[in-house]
Amino acid sequence: MNVFEGYEQLKAQGKADLGSEAVLQIIKRIYERCSEYLQDKARRHLTSKVPNKEYFSFQKDGRFSRAINSRCFEHDHLKVESFWNAVGDGRLDSLQPSEITRFCYTTAISFCVVIDLERQRDQKTPGTFFEYFIGHLFARRIHVNPRKETEILNLEGGSSLPTDYVFDLGPGKAKYHVPVKTSTRERVIQVWAHQRVLDGVYGLGRFIGILVCLAETKLDKRRQEVVEICLPDQWRAYQSFIAQMKRVYYLDPPAKYLQLNATFPRIPVKPLGEFFFEIDHLPG
Amino acid sequence: MNVFEGYEQLKAQGKADLGSEAVLQIIKRIYERCSEYLQDKARRHLTSKVPNKEYFSFQKDGRFSRAINSRCFEHDHLKVESFWNAVGDGRLDSLQPSEITRFCYTTAISFCVVIDLERQRDQKTPGTFFEYFIGHLFARRIHVNPRKETEILNLEGGSSLPTDYVFDLGPGKAKYHVPVKTSTRERVIQVWAHQRVLDGVYGLGRFIGILVCLAETKLDKRRQEVVEICLPDQWRAYQSFIAQMKRVYYLDPPAKYLQLNATFPRIPVKPLGEFFFEIDHLPG
């Protein structure tokens, strides 16, 4: 199985049973193929315009991958593979949140980088992979598979609204609305708007909104410079006037969004690894 | 001046004074250049999958333009040019709404078609042109130039939110929130979400939301088939649960959206020409 075959298998198995052992094994094998592929690719240091972060890029035939945060990326593939074994054995509790974030970042960005180097202008494949990847981790942790649409009742009869992932633990239990994005930029208002529709249809507080993102980097390929594109004032307006997101998890959290933990309206932004330890307390 | 030079002039003059006579003259000249350009281009009939609509496409060197609605397009360029003279002379009242819609459709889509045939994958230029085009017509009719951002006050001090066009007639008078899109698809939720933010910041009913769109066609170039992509159930959910748009104007209105005039929640969807006759009564 090569990376692209693995991606097709991930989509097929993910649609059948996203939280399954089969999906875990596919993700693990995709990572192994990605790390083999990247072994002999040149790495180029990038100029970072982001305070306290350093980035590099993989190269092939003059083409550059997206920016990779040097401190988030685990170069030792054996460590990443043993992480996936731990996930399979249900031993996540034995790890630190920061380790989980690091190994998830490495797995996710390795796939994105392979697509950057092998495909032209393909944003869809990394985005879809990342959605299945996060969907699997959530389904495994919450013990329920997600839906991708939600019923909407009105007086003329029902219809259904396509949404991001919705994990529904059943009657009387928590329901999670989980949009997943490799980066947000100006499209992020959709996340709050969908949360608003769910609040309107089902009542405030019924769905717990959790946004999951990979990173907010942008690479200027000509200058080989990396910036982070963050719009914290807009996020604050959305959190004040559209709906309330309960958590935003990042694999490479931007400092400007981490600061939203401390201002009004509070938006709790955290590294993804925290999710696995606090999720049971989130409905409270 | 060629079409591309005209586009650059439109942006420069539009930023300086969008409702001005200078902008009107630039739009008129851009249309003249576009109609000259299209004179000798082959026209190919397309297979319409949309009931009661017929489409064609302009061709150049094997490349296809977007689909053009045959009944909305005015082939006689002299008629379109005399329309722009009437706009300049303030004689719009003497025209039928359907004529205004037709001449505006022809002007806007002619520019889009030239870009389709001359540029690769350029969606931005047609979108920007259409925004300036509609912005000019609104500014001329309402007698005020729009802003593209809105102040947001909070207890820690103010910040501003980038928005679509906002036309503000001043203290105690109507304020219009006018998003402009060549087509909407899945991005349209942003329109209702921005309206929601304005409702939250300034109070319900303070801003009158008016969405303006060109068309919702999609051309399958391989099959030469045209479909309309419409999501009326989603629009109804947004109108029920996010905010209320007061009008949606189309240059080529999809039947599925016109039906929203008759269902709950009511969304008034009309051909653009109606705007010029009813705008003074909209705040009521």
Side-chain angles (χ1 to χ4, degrees):
Chain A
M1 159 185 124
N2 66 29
V3 173
F4 298 101
E5 289 162 357
Y7 172 70
E8 295 304 324
Q9 288 179 22
L10 176 64
K11 287 196 290 184
Q13 286 290 330
K15 272 169 198 145
D17 183 356
L18 188 54
S20 66
E21 183 66 21
V23 168
L24 177 74
Q25 292 306 323
I26 292 166
I27 290 173
K28 192 182 161 201
R29 266 179 288 153
I30 289 175
Y31 169 71
E32 288 166 2
R33 290 302 95 77
C34 290
S35 87
E36 285 161 22
Y37 173 94
L38 294 175
Q39 215 96 64
D40 64 351
K41 299 299 173 291
R43 293 170 198 196
R44 179 117 179 197
H45 181 78
L46 301 169
T47 304
S48 171
K49 295 286 172 182
V50 186
N52 304 316
K53 291 190 179 181
E54 295 297 322
Y55 298 94
F56 69 98
S57 170
F58 283 99
Q59 268 189 294
K60 185 196 172 194
D61 304 337
R63 196 183 279 184
F64 279 77
S65 78
R66 68 191 60 199
I68 299 152
N69 184 323
S70 308
R71 272 175 231 161
C72 296
F73 189 81
E74 175 56 64
H75 290 278
D76 183 349
H77 67 97
L78 294 175
K79 285 189 187 168
V80 183
E81 285 164 33
S82 83
F83 164 74
W84 288 106
N85 290 334
V87 175
D89 297 345
R91 287 185 286 110
L92 269 187
D93 292 1
S94 64
L95 293 163
Q96 295 296 315
S98 62
E99 292 178 296
I100 298 176
T101 306
R102 177 181 186 78
F103 296 134
C104 286
Y105 178 84
T106 305
T107 305
I109 205 129
S110 294
F111 179 86
C112 297
V113 163
V114 171
I115 301 302
D116 291 344
L117 297 180
E118 289 294 314
R119 293 262 177 95
Q120 293 261 18
R121 293 169 179 252
D122 182 351
Q123 292 297 322
K124 191 164 184 281
T125 303
T128 304
F129 172 83
F130 189 60
E131 196 171 55
Y132 280 99
F133 173 79
I134 296 296
H136 170 74
L137 290 170
F138 271 61
R140 177 167 279 272
R141 177 65 182 78
I142 299 175
H143 306 297
V144 65
N145 279 325
R147 297 194 306 268
K148 292 268 292 182
E149 57 177 35
T150 300
E151 291 287 302
I152 290 186
L153 281 174
N154 60 47
L155 295 172
E156 278 78 42
S159 65
S160 69
L161 186 76
T163 56
D164 301 288
Y165 284 138
V166 163
F167 297 84
D168 185 346
L169 291 182
K173 294 192 178 159
K175 300 173 199 319
Y176 303 95
H177 166 226
V178 185
V180 177
K181 315 274 176 198
T182 52
S183 69
T184 64
R185 315 281 164 85
E186 65 289 335
R187 291 163 290 123
V188 77
I189 194 170
Q190 296 178 354
V191 167
W192 273 267
H194 276 137
Q195 180 66 36
R196 170 87 205 170
V197 172
L198 292 172
D199 289 347
V201 174
Y202 292 97
L204 283 169
R206 200 71 190 87
F207 276 86
I208 296 161
I210 301 176
L211 169 62
V212 183
C213 306
L214 178 49
E216 299 293 356
T217 55
K218 184 163 192 267
L219 171 58
D220 181 326
K221 287 184 182 167
R222 198 174 53 79
R223 297 183 175 186
Q224 310 219 342
E225 278 179 7
V226 185
V227 293
E228 274 182 338
I229 299 187
C230 296
L231 307 165
D233 283 348
Q234 294 182 32
W235 283 34
R236 293 170 71 190
Y238 306 154
Q239 185 85 346
S240 290
F241 297 112
I242 300 178
Q244 295 260 319
M245 295 300 290
K246 190 88 172 183
R247 283 290 183 278
V248 180
Y249 292 114
Y250 269 95
L251 293 176
D252 176 14
K256 280 185 185 164
Y257 286 150
L258 288 173
Q259 287 163 11
L260 294 173
N261 284 293
T263 54
F264 184 86
R266 188 166 167 253
I267 308 177
V269 178
K270 301 188 177 189
L272 179 70
E274 304 285 344
F275 159 78
F276 297 91
F277 299 90
E278 68 180 5
I279 181 66
D280 296 328
H281 311 294
L282 273 195
Chain B
M1 163 187 120
N2 66 27
V3 173
F4 297 101
E5 290 162 356
Y7 172 69
E8 295 304 324
Q9 287 179 22
L10 175 65
K11 287 196 291 184
Q13 286 292 329
K15 273 170 196 143
D17 183 356
L18 188 54
S20 65
E21 184 65 23
V23 168
L24 177 73
Q25 292 306 325
I26 292 166
I27 290 173
K28 192 182 160 201
R29 266 179 288 153
I30 288 175
Y31 169 71
E32 289 166 2
R33 291 302 96 77
C34 290
S35 87
E36 286 162 21
Y37 173 94
L38 294 174
Q39 215 95 63
D40 64 352
K41 299 299 174 291
R43 294 170 198 196
R44 181 119 180 194
H45 181 77
L46 301 170
T47 305
S48 171
K49 295 285 173 182
V50 185
N52 305 315
K53 291 190 179 181
E54 295 297 322
Y55 299 94
F56 68 98
S57 170
F58 283 99
Q59 269 189 293
K60 186 196 172 196
D61 304 337
R63 195 183 279 183
F64 279 77
S65 78
R66 67 192 62 199
I68 299 152
N69 184 323
S70 307
R71 271 175 231 160
C72 296
F73 189 81
E74 174 55 63
H75 291 277
D76 183 349
H77 68 97
L78 294 176
K79 285 190 187 167
V80 183
E81 286 164 31
S82 84
F83 164 75
W84 287 106
N85 290 334
V87 175
D89 297 345
R91 288 184 285 111
L92 269 187
D93 292 0
S94 64
L95 293 163
Q96 294 297 315
S98 63
E99 294 178 294
I100 298 176
T101 306
R102 177 181 187 78
F103 297 134
C104 287
Y105 178 85
T106 305
T107 305
I109 204 125
S110 295
F111 180 84
C112 297
V113 163
V114 172
I115 302 301
D116 292 343
L117 296 180
E118 288 295 314
R119 293 262 176 97
Q120 293 262 17
R121 293 170 179 253
D122 184 351
Q123 292 297 323
K124 190 164 185 280
T125 303
T128 304
F129 172 83
F130 189 60
E131 195 171 56
Y132 280 99
F133 174 78
I134 295 296
H136 170 74
L137 289 170
F138 271 62
R140 177 168 280 270
R141 178 64 182 80
I142 300 175
H143 306 297
V144 65
N145 279 324
R147 297 193 306 268
K148 293 268 293 182
E149 58 177 34
T150 299
E151 291 287 301
I152 290 186
L153 281 175
N154 60 47
L155 295 171
E156 278 77 41
S159 64
S160 68
L161 184 77
T163 55
D164 301 289
Y165 284 138
V166 164
F167 296 85
D168 185 347
L169 290 182
K173 293 194 180 156
K175 300 173 199 316
Y176 303 93
H177 165 225
V178 184
V180 178
K181 316 273 175 198
T182 53
S183 69
T184 63
R185 314 280 163 84
E186 65 289 336
R187 291 163 291 124
V188 77
I189 194 171
Q190 295 177 355
V191 167
W192 274 267
H194 276 137
Q195 181 65 37
R196 170 88 205 169
V197 171
L198 292 172
D199 289 347
V201 174
Y202 291 97
L204 284 168
R206 199 73 190 85
F207 276 86
I208 295 160
I210 300 176
L211 169 61
V212 183
C213 306
L214 179 50
E216 299 292 358
T217 54
K218 183 164 192 263
L219 171 59
D220 181 327
K221 287 184 183 167
R222 199 175 52 79
R223 297 183 175 187
Q224 311 219 344
E225 278 178 7
V226 185
V227 295
E228 274 183 338
I229 299 188
C230 296
L231 306 165
D233 284 348
Q234 295 182 33
W235 282 34
R236 294 169 70 191
Y238 305 154
Q239 186 83 346
S240 291
F241 296 113
I242 300 178
Q244 296 261 317
M245 295 300 289
K246 190 89 173 182
R247 284 289 184 279
V248 180
Y249 293 113
Y250 269 95
L251 293 176
D252 176 13
K256 282 186 183 164
Y257 286 151
L258 288 172
Q259 287 162 11
L260 294 172
N261 283 293
T263 55
F264 184 87
R266 187 167 167 254
I267 308 177
V269 179
K270 302 188 176 189
L272 178 71
E274 304 285 344
F275 159 78
F276 298 91
F277 299 89
E278 69 180 5
I279 182 67
D280 296 328
H281 311 296
L282 273 195

